[in-house]
Amino acid sequence: MPYRLTAASAEEAGLVLSLDDALSLALENNLNLKKNLIDLSGAEYSAGRLWSEVFPTINASVGTSYGSPLFSGDGFSFDNKAANNARFGVNLSLNAGIPYSVRNIRLAHQINMLRYEDARNQLEIQITKMFYGLIAEKNNLDYLEDIFRLAETQLERNEISFRNGYVRELVVLQSRLGVENARYNLSIARASYSDSFRELLVMLGIHHDDPAFLAGEINIDRIEADANALISEYLPQRPDIISRMQEIDRLENIEKQVSLSNRAPSLDLSVTWSSSNFDPFADSLTGTATLSIPIDRWIPGTRASQTIRGARDSLEKARLDLQIAQDAAIKQIRSLTANLYNSWDSVEIARFSAGIAEQNYQLTDLGFRNGTVESLVLEDARNNYANARQRLLQSELYYLNLTLDLSAALNMDWKELTRAYGVSSEKR
C-alpha cells in the first residue's frame, strides 16, 4: 500500500517535512540563491541612483609653498616667503550617450531580478523532484520490507512443514535463499534511501542526523495539452527567451551609447574658484564651457569606428541567439508534451500489471498452502509482485518528473499546470 505518514505519529518520532516546508527551507538556506540576491540588491541600488550618471566631478585642494630668490643685491638670500593657496572646482561632462547608459542601468536591475526568479524556480523544481523521488524510494522500501516479512513467514511455514514431514529439505533451503535475497535487496534500498535523504537535508540547510520524515504521497493526473497552444501562450514567458530579449535591448542601448558618445558633440562645463594667501581681494572665479566635436571617429577604419562596428555585430549575434533559443524551446516543449502523452500508457500498463501480479501472488500463495504449488513458483510470484510494484513506482515518478520538466519549460507552477490541463481518474 502507498506510503502514508500521519503528522501525529511523525511528530512523536522527529522532524516532519512537507513539500512546502522543504521548499521554504531550501529558499531560505541556499547559498547560490543568496549570491543572486546580493547581485539583485546591488543592481537595485544602482537603479535607484540614476542621478549619479550626471553627477559632476568636484575637487577641492589647499596647499602652501615656500620660495625665495637665490641671489639678491647683497649676495645669497635666505629670506623665505610662504604662499598659501586654495582651489575648489566643479566639472560637468555631458554627451548624447548618457540616456542610453541610464536605460542599461535600469535594464540591469530587471535582468538580475529575472535571474533571481529563475534561480528560485529552478531550485523549487530540483527540490520537488528530490522530495517525490524520496517518497517513491520510501514506498519501494516499504514494499521490500513487506517482501522480506513474507519471505520470513514462508520460511517459518516451510520449516514447520519440514519438521512434520510435509515438504522436502530442498524447499526449506530455497526459502532461506529467498529470505537472504530479500534481506539483501532491502539493505541496498535502505542505504540508497539514507544517502538520498541526507543529500536532501543538506540542500535544506539541515546538517544534523535527527530523525526526519517526509509527509506526502505521489498523486499524478494525466496531462492533456496541445503543444502548439502551449508554445503560443507560454513561450514568451520563458526566462531564457526574456533574457535573450533583454540582452538585445541592452546591446541596442550600448550600440547607441557608443555611437553617440564617439561621434556626437560633447559639452564640458567647469567652474573653478581659487584663492591666494586667503586674501578675499585676490580670489578668482573661472568658468569655462567647451563643446567638443569629434572628427576622426567618422573616418572608417579608425579605432573608434571599429568599436562602433563591434557593438553592431554583437547586437546582430544576440538577435540570432534569440532565434536559436526560441527554436530550442519549441523543440523542448513539443518533446515533453509528446513524452507525457506516450508515458501515460506506460503508467496504466504498470498499474494493470501490478494488479495482476498481486492477484497472481495471492492465488499462488493459496495454492502453495493447499499443496498444489511448489515453493519456487511461490517465490517467483512474490518477486514478480515486488518487481511490478517497483515498475509502477518508477513509471509514476517518471511521469511526475516529466510534468515538472514541462512546467519549468513553460515557466509555470506545476500544480497550476495540473489544474489547467490535468484530467483526473474521476473525469476519465
Side-chain angles (χ1 to χ4, degrees):
M1 59 183 301
Y3 167 63
R4 300 176 187 273
L5 177 67
T6 63
S9 62
E11 287 176 358
E12 295 177 357
L15 176 65
V16 182
L17 289 175
S18 66
L19 177 60
D20 291 338
D21 295 332
L23 292 175
S24 178
L25 287 171
L27 294 176
E28 179 183 353
N29 297 314
N30 185 264
L31 299 181
N32 289 325
L33 203 60
K34 289 182 178 180
K35 289 171 57 179
N36 289 336
L37 191 59
I38 293 174
D39 293 336
L40 176 59
S41 177
E44 184 178 7
Y45 185 87
S46 298
R49 291 160 180 79
L50 297 176
W51 48 265
S52 63
E53 291 298 301
V54 294
F55 195 77
T57 302
I58 303 175
N59 295 303
S61 65
V62 294
T64 184
S65 62
Y66 293 88
S68 67
L70 183 60
F71 297 98
S72 65
D74 298 329
F76 288 102
S77 174
F78 298 97
D79 185 16
N80 294 332
K81 295 182 179 180
N84 300 311
N85 60 80
R87 181 182 296 271
F88 180 82
V90 177
N91 182 269
L92 177 63
S93 297
L94 301 175
N95 62 75
I98 290 178
Y100 298 100
S101 176
V102 170
R103 292 181 186 179
N104 266 355
I105 293 175
R106 289 174 176 165
L107 188 60
H109 179 225
Q110 297 174 8
I111 291 174
N112 279 278
M113 186 178 298
L114 176 66
R115 288 175 180 170
Y116 178 72
E117 292 299 326
D118 185 42
R120 279 177 59 100
N121 294 337
Q122 293 298 326
L123 180 61
E124 288 180 354
I125 291 293
Q126 182 183 6
I127 295 299
T128 302
K129 284 186 175 183
M130 294 182 67
F131 184 89
Y132 284 113
L134 279 168
I135 292 292
E137 284 193 49
K138 178 57 180 175
N139 286 344
N140 183 54
L141 193 59
D142 289 343
Y143 292 157
L144 292 177
E145 288 175 351
D146 289 342
I147 295 299
F148 178 65
R149 285 192 294 269
L150 289 173
E152 285 188 321
T153 301
Q154 191 61 49
L155 175 60
E156 292 175 0
R157 291 177 183 172
N158 290 339
E159 286 177 341
I160 294 173
S161 298
F162 173 71
R163 287 195 295 268
N164 293 327
Y166 295 114
V167 297
R168 295 171 298 171
E169 184 180 5
L170 180 60
V171 174
V172 177
L173 295 176
Q174 290 170 345
S175 296
R176 288 177 181 171
L177 179 60
V179 170
E180 294 305 318
N181 286 333
R183 191 196 309 275
Y184 175 78
N185 293 333
L186 179 59
S187 176
I188 294 297
R190 282 175 176 169
S192 175
Y193 178 76
S194 178
D195 291 341
S196 300
F197 203 112
R198 193 173 294 110
E199 181 182 356
L200 175 64
L201 292 181
V202 170
M203 291 195 65
L204 302 184
I206 302 175
H207 299 278
H208 53 74
D209 294 329
D210 293 344
F213 302 89
L214 301 182
E217 58 185 47
I218 297 177
N219 290 316
I220 60 173
D221 289 328
R222 181 175 184 174
I223 303 298
E224 293 185 353
D226 179 67
N228 292 329
L230 293 177
I231 292 169
S232 176
E233 183 173 358
Y234 295 103
L235 181 64
Q237 301 179 15
R238 281 177 58 109
D240 59 335
I241 301 300
I242 298 176
S243 176
R244 298 293 183 185
M245 296 175 67
Q246 289 177 335
E247 179 67 8
I248 290 175
D249 291 341
R250 188 184 73 86
L251 291 175
E252 284 180 343
N253 291 331
I254 289 178
E255 190 268 338
K256 293 175 182 178
Q257 177 189 359
V258 170
S259 179
L260 292 174
S261 297
N262 281 278
R263 290 179 172 175
S266 61
L267 179 64
D268 288 333
L269 303 174
S270 66
V271 176
T272 304
W273 168 82
S274 61
S275 175
S276 178
N277 290 321
F278 303 104
D279 182 0
F281 296 101
D283 289 358
S284 64
L285 183 66
T286 305
T288 61
T290 304
L291 181 66
S292 300
I293 302 175
I295 302 298
D296 62 305
R297 294 154 189 202
W298 290 89
I299 301 174
T302 61
R303 181 176 300 177
S305 176
Q306 293 179 32
T307 301
I308 296 172
R309 178 171 180 173
R312 290 174 179 171
D313 291 342
S314 297
L315 176 59
E316 185 61 28
K317 288 193 294 184
R319 293 193 176 110
L320 295 175
D321 288 338
L322 173 61
Q323 185 61 52
I324 293 172
Q326 287 176 332
D327 293 341
I330 291 173
K331 181 180 179 181
Q332 182 187 30
I333 294 173
R334 291 189 187 280
S335 176
L336 289 171
T337 305
N339 285 339
L340 277 171
Y341 179 81
N342 296 326
S343 297
W344 186 257
D345 291 337
S346 67
V347 172
E348 292 188 326
I349 292 172
R351 288 175 176 174
F352 184 65
S353 177
I356 293 177
E358 181 179 9
Q359 185 177 8
N360 180 63
Y361 172 72
Q362 292 173 352
L363 294 175
T364 304
D365 182 61
L366 180 60
F368 180 81
R369 294 183 185 183
N370 294 332
T372 59
V373 174
E374 295 183 357
S375 61
L376 285 179
V377 177
L378 177 61
E379 185 177 349
D380 288 341
R382 185 172 62 239
N383 291 334
N384 289 337
Y385 179 35
N387 293 333
R389 291 196 294 188
Q390 289 176 341
R391 286 195 297 271
L392 176 58
L393 281 175
Q394 292 170 356
S395 62
E396 289 183 338
L397 181 62
Y398 179 72
Y399 194 86
L400 177 61
N401 286 337
L402 282 177
T403 304
L404 291 169
D405 289 338
L406 180 59
S407 68
L410 301 176
N411 194 34
M412 183 181 186
D413 182 78
W414 70 277
K415 293 182 179 179
E416 180 182 348
L417 174 66
T418 302
R419 286 193 296 267
Y421 299 99
V423 180
S424 62
S425 301
E426 291 78 8
K427 293 180 181 180
R428 295 196 302 272

Short mmCIF file of all heavy atoms in Angstrom, two decimals, residues 360-398:
data_model
loop_
_atom_site.label_atom_id
_atom_site.label_comp_id
_atom_site.label_asym_id
_atom_site.label_seq_id
_atom_site.Cartn_x
_atom_site.Cartn_y
_atom_site.Cartn_z
N ASN A 360 -2.07 -12.66 -8.74
CA ASN A 360 -1.36 -13.91 -9.01
C ASN A 360 -0.62 -14.41 -7.78
O ASN A 360 -0.61 -15.61 -7.49
CB ASN A 360 -0.39 -13.71 -10.18
CG ASN A 360 0.39 -14.98 -10.50
OD1 ASN A 360 -0.18 -16.01 -10.88
ND2 ASN A 360 1.71 -14.91 -10.34
N TYR A 361 -0.01 -13.48 -7.03
CA TYR A 361 0.70 -13.89 -5.82
C TYR A 361 -0.27 -14.45 -4.78
O TYR A 361 0.02 -15.47 -4.14
CB TYR A 361 1.48 -12.72 -5.23
CG TYR A 361 2.06 -13.05 -3.88
CD1 TYR A 361 3.15 -13.91 -3.76
CD2 TYR A 361 1.50 -12.53 -2.72
CE1 TYR A 361 3.67 -14.24 -2.52
CE2 TYR A 361 2.01 -12.85 -1.47
CZ TYR A 361 3.10 -13.70 -1.38
OH TYR A 361 3.61 -14.04 -0.15
N GLN A 362 -1.40 -13.79 -4.62
CA GLN A 362 -2.38 -14.28 -3.64
C GLN A 362 -2.88 -15.67 -4.00
O GLN A 362 -3.00 -16.55 -3.14
CB GLN A 362 -3.54 -13.29 -3.55
CG GLN A 362 -3.16 -11.94 -2.94
CD GLN A 362 -4.28 -10.93 -3.01
OE1 GLN A 362 -5.32 -11.17 -3.66
NE2 GLN A 362 -4.10 -9.79 -2.36
N LEU A 363 -3.16 -15.91 -5.29
CA LEU A 363 -3.62 -17.22 -5.72
C LEU A 363 -2.53 -18.27 -5.59
O LEU A 363 -2.78 -19.42 -5.20
CB LEU A 363 -4.12 -17.15 -7.17
CG LEU A 363 -5.38 -16.30 -7.40
CD1 LEU A 363 -5.69 -16.21 -8.88
CD2 LEU A 363 -6.57 -16.88 -6.64
N THR A 364 -1.29 -17.88 -5.92
CA THR A 364 -0.17 -18.81 -5.81
C THR A 364 0.08 -19.18 -4.34
O THR A 364 0.35 -20.35 -4.02
CB THR A 364 1.10 -18.20 -6.42
OG1 THR A 364 0.85 -17.81 -7.77
CG2 THR A 364 2.25 -19.20 -6.41
N ASP A 365 -0.02 -18.19 -3.47
CA ASP A 365 0.16 -18.46 -2.03
C ASP A 365 -0.92 -19.41 -1.52
O ASP A 365 -0.64 -20.33 -0.74
CB ASP A 365 0.13 -17.15 -1.26
CG ASP A 365 0.36 -17.35 0.22
OD1 ASP A 365 1.42 -17.86 0.61
OD2 ASP A 365 -0.55 -17.00 1.02
N LEU A 366 -2.14 -19.23 -2.00
CA LEU A 366 -3.23 -20.12 -1.60
C LEU A 366 -2.98 -21.53 -2.12
O LEU A 366 -3.18 -22.52 -1.40
CB LEU A 366 -4.56 -19.58 -2.13
CG LEU A 366 -5.80 -20.40 -1.80
CD1 LEU A 366 -6.00 -20.51 -0.29
CD2 LEU A 366 -7.03 -19.81 -2.47
N GLY A 367 -2.49 -21.63 -3.36
CA GLY A 367 -2.19 -22.94 -3.93
C GLY A 367 -1.06 -23.63 -3.19
O GLY A 367 -1.07 -24.85 -2.99
N PHE A 368 -0.06 -22.83 -2.76
CA PHE A 368 1.04 -23.43 -2.01
C PHE A 368 0.55 -23.98 -0.67
O PHE A 368 0.97 -25.06 -0.23
CB PHE A 368 2.15 -22.40 -1.78
CG PHE A 368 3.32 -22.93 -1.03
CD1 PHE A 368 4.30 -23.67 -1.66
CD2 PHE A 368 3.44 -22.69 0.34
CE1 PHE A 368 5.39 -24.17 -0.96
CE2 PHE A 368 4.53 -23.18 1.05
CZ PHE A 368 5.51 -23.92 0.39
N ARG A 369 -0.33 -23.25 -0.03
CA ARG A 369 -0.87 -23.72 1.25
C ARG A 369 -1.67 -25.01 1.06
O ARG A 369 -1.71 -25.87 1.95
CB ARG A 369 -1.74 -22.65 1.88
CG ARG A 369 -0.99 -21.39 2.31
CD ARG A 369 -1.92 -20.42 2.99
NE ARG A 369 -1.24 -19.16 3.29
CZ ARG A 369 -1.82 -18.15 3.94
NH1 ARG A 369 -3.07 -18.28 4.35
NH2 ARG A 369 -1.15 -17.06 4.18
N ASN A 370 -2.31 -25.11 -0.11
CA ASN A 370 -3.11 -26.31 -0.38
C ASN A 370 -2.27 -27.46 -0.92
O ASN A 370 -2.80 -28.55 -1.18
CB ASN A 370 -4.24 -26.00 -1.35
CG ASN A 370 -5.26 -25.04 -0.74
OD1 ASN A 370 -5.44 -25.01 0.49
ND2 ASN A 370 -5.91 -24.26 -1.58
N GLY A 371 -0.96 -27.19 -1.17
CA GLY A 371 -0.08 -28.25 -1.64
C GLY A 371 -0.09 -28.47 -3.12
O GLY A 371 0.46 -29.46 -3.61
N THR A 372 -0.67 -27.55 -3.89
CA THR A 372 -0.73 -27.71 -5.35
C THR A 372 0.32 -26.88 -6.09
O THR A 372 0.44 -26.98 -7.31
CB THR A 372 -2.12 -27.31 -5.87
OG1 THR A 372 -2.38 -25.95 -5.51
CG2 THR A 372 -3.19 -28.21 -5.26
N VAL A 373 1.07 -26.06 -5.36
CA VAL A 373 2.07 -25.19 -5.98
C VAL A 373 3.39 -25.38 -5.24
O VAL A 373 3.42 -25.42 -4.00
CB VAL A 373 1.63 -23.71 -5.92
CG1 VAL A 373 2.76 -22.80 -6.43
CG2 VAL A 373 0.37 -23.49 -6.73
N GLU A 374 4.49 -25.44 -5.98
CA GLU A 374 5.80 -25.60 -5.38
C GLU A 374 6.32 -24.26 -4.83
O GLU A 374 5.87 -23.19 -5.23
CB GLU A 374 6.79 -26.16 -6.41
CG GLU A 374 6.46 -27.57 -6.88
CD GLU A 374 7.51 -28.11 -7.84
OE1 GLU A 374 8.45 -27.33 -8.17
OE2 GLU A 374 7.40 -29.27 -8.23
N SER A 375 7.32 -24.35 -3.97
CA SER A 375 7.85 -23.16 -3.31
C SER A 375 8.54 -22.22 -4.30
O SER A 375 8.48 -20.99 -4.16
CB SER A 375 8.83 -23.56 -2.20
OG SER A 375 9.92 -24.29 -2.75
N LEU A 376 9.22 -22.79 -5.29
CA LEU A 376 9.89 -21.94 -6.29
C LEU A 376 8.87 -21.11 -7.08
O LEU A 376 9.12 -19.94 -7.40
CB LEU A 376 10.71 -22.80 -7.25
CG LEU A 376 12.03 -23.35 -6.70
CD1 LEU A 376 12.72 -24.21 -7.75
CD2 LEU A 376 12.95 -22.22 -6.26
N VAL A 377 7.75 -21.71 -7.37
CA VAL A 377 6.70 -20.97 -8.07
C VAL A 377 6.17 -19.85 -7.19
O VAL A 377 5.91 -18.72 -7.65
CB VAL A 377 5.56 -21.92 -8.48
CG1 VAL A 377 4.43 -21.15 -9.14
CG2 VAL A 377 6.08 -23.00 -9.42
N LEU A 378 6.03 -20.11 -5.91
CA LEU A 378 5.58 -19.08 -4.98
C LEU A 378 6.60 -17.95 -4.88
O LEU A 378 6.22 -16.77 -4.87
CB LEU A 378 5.34 -19.70 -3.60
CG LEU A 378 4.92 -18.72 -2.49
CD1 LEU A 378 3.60 -18.04 -2.85
CD2 LEU A 378 4.82 -19.44 -1.16
N GLU A 379 7.87 -18.31 -4.80
CA GLU A 379 8.90 -17.27 -4.72
C GLU A 379 8.93 -16.43 -5.99
O GLU A 379 9.09 -15.20 -5.93
CB GLU A 379 10.27 -17.92 -4.48
CG GLU A 379 11.38 -16.89 -4.27
CD GLU A 379 12.72 -17.54 -3.97
OE1 GLU A 379 12.73 -18.75 -3.73
OE2 GLU A 379 13.73 -16.82 -3.99
N ASP A 380 8.79 -17.06 -7.13
CA ASP A 380 8.74 -16.30 -8.39
C ASP A 380 7.55 -15.34 -8.41
O ASP A 380 7.67 -14.20 -8.85
CB ASP A 380 8.66 -17.26 -9.57
CG ASP A 380 9.98 -18.00 -9.81
OD1 ASP A 380 11.02 -17.52 -9.30
OD2 ASP A 380 9.96 -19.05 -10.48
N ALA A 381 6.40 -15.81 -7.92
CA ALA A 381 5.22 -14.95 -7.88
C ALA A 381 5.44 -13.77 -6.96
O ALA A 381 5.02 -12.64 -7.25
CB ALA A 381 4.00 -15.77 -7.45
N ARG A 382 6.09 -14.03 -5.83
CA ARG A 382 6.36 -12.95 -4.88
C ARG A 382 7.33 -11.93 -5.48
O ARG A 382 7.15 -10.71 -5.35
CB ARG A 382 6.94 -13.54 -3.59
CG ARG A 382 7.14 -12.50 -2.49
CD ARG A 382 7.53 -13.15 -1.17
NE ARG A 382 8.79 -13.85 -1.28
CZ ARG A 382 8.96 -15.15 -1.05
NH1 ARG A 382 7.92 -15.91 -0.70
NH2 ARG A 382 10.15 -15.71 -1.15
N ASN A 383 8.37 -12.40 -6.14
CA ASN A 383 9.33 -11.49 -6.77
C ASN A 383 8.69 -10.71 -7.91
O ASN A 383 8.98 -9.51 -8.11
CB ASN A 383 10.53 -12.27 -7.28
CG ASN A 383 11.37 -12.84 -6.15
OD1 ASN A 383 11.38 -12.30 -5.05
ND2 ASN A 383 12.08 -13.93 -6.43
N ASN A 384 7.84 -11.37 -8.68
CA ASN A 384 7.14 -10.67 -9.76
C ASN A 384 6.23 -9.58 -9.21
O ASN A 384 6.11 -8.49 -9.79
CB ASN A 384 6.32 -11.66 -10.59
CG ASN A 384 7.19 -12.58 -11.42
OD1 ASN A 384 8.34 -12.24 -11.74
ND2 ASN A 384 6.67 -13.75 -11.77
N TYR A 385 5.63 -9.87 -8.07
CA TYR A 385 4.77 -8.87 -7.43
C TYR A 385 5.60 -7.66 -6.99
O TYR A 385 5.22 -6.50 -7.23
CB TYR A 385 4.07 -9.52 -6.23
CG TYR A 385 3.17 -8.59 -5.45
CD1 TYR A 385 2.43 -7.59 -6.08
CD2 TYR A 385 3.05 -8.74 -4.07
CE1 TYR A 385 1.61 -6.75 -5.35
CE2 TYR A 385 2.21 -7.89 -3.33
CZ TYR A 385 1.50 -6.91 -3.98
OH TYR A 385 0.68 -6.08 -3.26
N ALA A 386 6.76 -7.92 -6.38
CA ALA A 386 7.64 -6.82 -5.96
C ALA A 386 8.14 -6.02 -7.16
O ALA A 386 8.15 -4.79 -7.13
CB ALA A 386 8.82 -7.38 -5.16
N ASN A 387 8.54 -6.71 -8.22
CA ASN A 387 9.03 -6.02 -9.42
C ASN A 387 7.93 -5.19 -10.07
O ASN A 387 8.19 -4.08 -10.56
CB ASN A 387 9.59 -7.02 -10.41
CG ASN A 387 10.85 -7.69 -9.91
OD1 ASN A 387 11.59 -7.13 -9.10
ND2 ASN A 387 11.11 -8.91 -10.38
N ALA A 388 6.71 -5.70 -10.08
CA ALA A 388 5.59 -4.96 -10.67
C ALA A 388 5.31 -3.69 -9.90
O ALA A 388 5.03 -2.64 -10.48
CB ALA A 388 4.35 -5.85 -10.73
N ARG A 389 5.37 -3.77 -8.59
CA ARG A 389 5.13 -2.58 -7.79
C ARG A 389 6.27 -1.57 -7.96
O ARG A 389 6.03 -0.35 -7.98
CB ARG A 389 4.98 -2.97 -6.32
CG ARG A 389 3.69 -3.74 -6.05
CD ARG A 389 3.34 -3.81 -4.58
NE ARG A 389 4.30 -4.58 -3.80
CZ ARG A 389 4.13 -4.90 -2.51
NH1 ARG A 389 3.03 -4.51 -1.87
NH2 ARG A 389 5.04 -5.60 -1.86
N GLN A 390 7.50 -2.04 -8.10
CA GLN A 390 8.61 -1.14 -8.36
C GLN A 390 8.47 -0.44 -9.71
O GLN A 390 8.72 0.76 -9.84
CB GLN A 390 9.93 -1.91 -8.30
CG GLN A 390 10.33 -2.34 -6.90
CD GLN A 390 11.59 -3.17 -6.89
OE1 GLN A 390 11.99 -3.73 -7.92
NE2 GLN A 390 12.24 -3.28 -5.74
N ARG A 391 8.06 -1.19 -10.72
CA ARG A 391 7.85 -0.58 -12.05
C ARG A 391 6.74 0.46 -11.99
O ARG A 391 6.82 1.50 -12.65
CB ARG A 391 7.52 -1.67 -13.07
CG ARG A 391 8.71 -2.52 -13.49
CD ARG A 391 8.40 -3.32 -14.75
NE ARG A 391 7.30 -4.25 -14.53
CZ ARG A 391 7.44 -5.49 -14.09
NH1 ARG A 391 8.65 -5.96 -13.82
NH2 ARG A 391 6.39 -6.28 -13.94
N LEU A 392 5.72 0.20 -11.21
CA LEU A 392 4.64 1.17 -11.08
C LEU A 392 5.15 2.45 -10.42
O LEU A 392 4.84 3.57 -10.88
CB LEU A 392 3.49 0.58 -10.27
CG LEU A 392 2.32 1.53 -9.96
CD1 LEU A 392 1.72 2.08 -11.25
CD2 LEU A 392 1.26 0.83 -9.11
N LEU A 393 5.92 2.30 -9.36
CA LEU A 393 6.50 3.48 -8.70
C LEU A 393 7.37 4.27 -9.67
O LEU A 393 7.29 5.51 -9.75
CB LEU A 393 7.34 3.04 -7.50
CG LEU A 393 6.59 2.69 -6.21
CD1 LEU A 393 7.56 2.16 -5.18
CD2 LEU A 393 5.85 3.90 -5.67
N GLN A 394 8.21 3.55 -10.42
CA GLN A 394 9.12 4.23 -11.35
C GLN A 394 8.37 4.94 -12.46
O GLN A 394 8.71 6.06 -12.84
CB GLN A 394 10.10 3.21 -11.92
CG GLN A 394 11.09 2.65 -10.91
CD GLN A 394 11.89 1.47 -11.44
OE1 GLN A 394 11.66 1.02 -12.56
NE2 GLN A 394 12.82 0.97 -10.63
N SER A 395 7.34 4.32 -12.99
CA SER A 395 6.57 4.93 -14.08
C SER A 395 5.81 6.16 -13.58
O SER A 395 5.74 7.18 -14.28
CB SER A 395 5.61 3.92 -14.70
OG SER A 395 4.66 3.48 -13.74
N GLU A 396 5.25 6.10 -12.36
CA GLU A 396 4.54 7.26 -11.82
C GLU A 396 5.51 8.40 -11.51
O GLU A 396 5.20 9.57 -11.78
CB GLU A 396 3.76 6.85 -10.57
CG GLU A 396 2.56 5.97 -10.86
CD GLU A 396 1.77 5.63 -9.61
OE1 GLU A 396 2.34 5.71 -8.49
OE2 GLU A 396 0.58 5.28 -9.73
N LEU A 397 6.67 8.05 -10.96
CA LEU A 397 7.66 9.09 -10.68
C LEU A 397 8.19 9.70 -11.97
O LEU A 397 8.39 10.93 -12.04
CB LEU A 397 8.81 8.48 -9.87
CG LEU A 397 9.93 9.46 -9.48
CD1 LEU A 397 9.39 10.57 -8.58
CD2 LEU A 397 11.07 8.71 -8.78
N TYR A 398 8.42 8.89 -12.98
CA TYR A 398 8.88 9.40 -14.27
C TYR A 398 7.85 10.36 -14.87
O TYR A 398 8.22 11.43 -15.40
CB TYR A 398 9.14 8.24 -15.22
CG TYR A 398 9.59 8.66 -16.61
CD1 TYR A 398 10.87 9.16 -16.81
CD2 TYR A 398 8.74 8.56 -17.70
CE1 TYR A 398 11.29 9.54 -18.08
CE2 TYR A 398 9.14 8.94 -18.97
CZ TYR A 398 10.42 9.43 -19.16
OH TYR A 398 10.82 9.82 -20.40
#
